[in-house]
Amino acid sequence: QVQLVESGGGLVQPGGSLRLSCAASGSILSIGGMGWYRHAPGKQRELVASISPGSTPTYADSVKGRFTISRDNAKSTVYLQMNNLKPEDTAVYYCKTSKWTGGVLYDYWGQGTQVTVSS
């Protein structure tokens, strides 16, 4: 089992910044890539950014140049630095990882953290 706990969400004005953190605990050996997803009311959940075990990042087009994903393997933590936030970034942000166990790939999700961008 892997537990993921997000933190860092909140209310911010347009143009502001937030940094989300996702701390992994439990059976974290051999955790693979980690990703941040978001789910806004009335919209489908979307992948915002992901990072490989070797720290290669990928981003959704909507956040390129504004968001930065990083990971600290020693702390088993992944971060999402969000700059120049826009109202359309408002959503619940979830951290996700996957792990092979007994030949089966399991997905693990955090509980989510609310990000609200509003003046």
Side-chain angles (χ1 to χ4, degrees):
Q1 288 281 357
V2 176
Q3 294 80 43
L4 300 174
V5 178
E6 300 105 333
S7 60
L11 173 64
V12 64
Q13 293 186 342
S17 298
L18 284 174
R19 188 175 85 151
L20 305 182
S21 299
C22 172
S25 62
S27 183
I28 60 175
L29 186 65
S30 300
I31 278 180
M34 298 185 76
W36 286 98
Y37 290 73
R38 65 186 180 189
H39 191 188
K43 296 184 179 180
Q44 289 189 332
R45 183 175 60 193
E46 65 171 334
L47 175 62
V48 175
S50 63
I51 189 165
S52 72
S55 296
T56 299
T58 59
Y59 299 97
D61 288 342
S62 59
V63 306
K64 281 181 181 177
R66 300 189 298 122
F67 290 10
T68 302
I69 189 170
S70 61
R71 64 191 292 167
D72 185 336
N73 290 330
K75 296 181 179 180
S76 301
T77 300
V78 64
Y79 304 96
L80 186 67
Q81 177 67 44
M82 305 185 295
N83 298 328
N84 190 22
L85 283 160
K86 304 176 180 181
E88 51 264 41
D89 295 317
T90 295
V92 179
Y93 284 70
Y94 297 90
C95 177
K96 178 203 169 187
T97 191
S98 302
K99 179 177 177 178
W100 288 98
T101 302
V104 179
L105 185 63
Y106 292 91
D107 290 336
Y108 297 93
W109 293 85
Q111 82 287 353
T113 185
Q114 176 71 47
V115 171
T116 303
V117 184
S118 175
S119 55

